[in-house]
Amino acid sequence: MSSRKRSEVENGLVRKGFVKSNSDHKKFIYYTFNGKKTSVWTKTSHGSGHNELSEDILRKIAKQCCLTRMDLNRLLDCPLNREDYERMLIEKGRIIVS
C-alpha cells in the first residue's frame, strides 16, 4: 500500500458519513444514517503538515475507523459503501441500534 492525498481521505470520509468537528485538529466523527453521533472517530492531523498521509498514518486511521487497512481503501474508493460500513460497525458492536 502507499500514501494517499489528505484531501482525498478527508473527502472520502465525509462521503461515507463522517462529519468534520470544529476543533483545532482535523477530527472526523461518524454519524449513522439516522443522524446519531457515534463513538467512531478518526483524525487526519497526526502531526504531519504534509498533503500526503503516510502508510503509517493510514493504518492508524483504519484502526480508529474499525477497519483493516485494505477495508479503508475500499471505503475511500467506494467498493465498500456506507450501508455496508455501518453494518460492519454494528456487527463489531461499535454502534448500538435501538
Side-chain angles (χ1 to χ4, degrees):
M1 310 232 175
S2 60
S3 66
R4 292 184 79 135
K5 290 184 180 181
R6 180 185 305 271
S7 61
E8 175 185 312
V9 172
E10 291 174 352
N11 290 335
L13 291 171
V14 169
R15 280 192 312 273
K16 297 302 170 83
F18 285 83
V19 175
K20 185 177 176 186
S21 71
N22 293 325
S23 65
D24 293 341
H25 300 285
K26 293 186 176 188
K27 184 176 179 180
F28 294 82
I29 302 167
Y30 184 73
Y31 283 77
T32 63
F33 276 110
N34 62 6
K36 181 181 173 189
K37 183 178 179 179
T38 70
S39 63
V40 179
W41 65 272
T42 189
K43 62 180 181 174
T44 58
S45 57
H46 288 272
S48 172
H50 304 284
N51 289 328
E52 291 283 322
L53 298 175
S54 70
E55 179 60 29
D56 183 52
I57 290 173
L58 291 169
R59 273 190 247 112
K60 290 177 184 177
I61 290 171
K63 184 175 181 180
Q64 291 169 338
C65 293
C66 307
L67 295 168
T68 65
R69 178 64 181 88
M70 186 180 300
D71 281 339
L72 177 63
N73 277 348
R74 292 180 56 235
L75 183 74
L76 298 174
D77 296 333
C78 292
L80 177 58
N81 62 35
R82 184 174 178 187
E83 294 88 356
D84 292 336
Y85 176 57
E86 192 161 309
R87 190 173 308 114
M88 288 172 69
L89 293 174
I90 292 167
E91 289 170 2
K92 293 178 181 183
R94 292 302 309 264
I95 294 177
I96 306 300
V97 179
S98 49

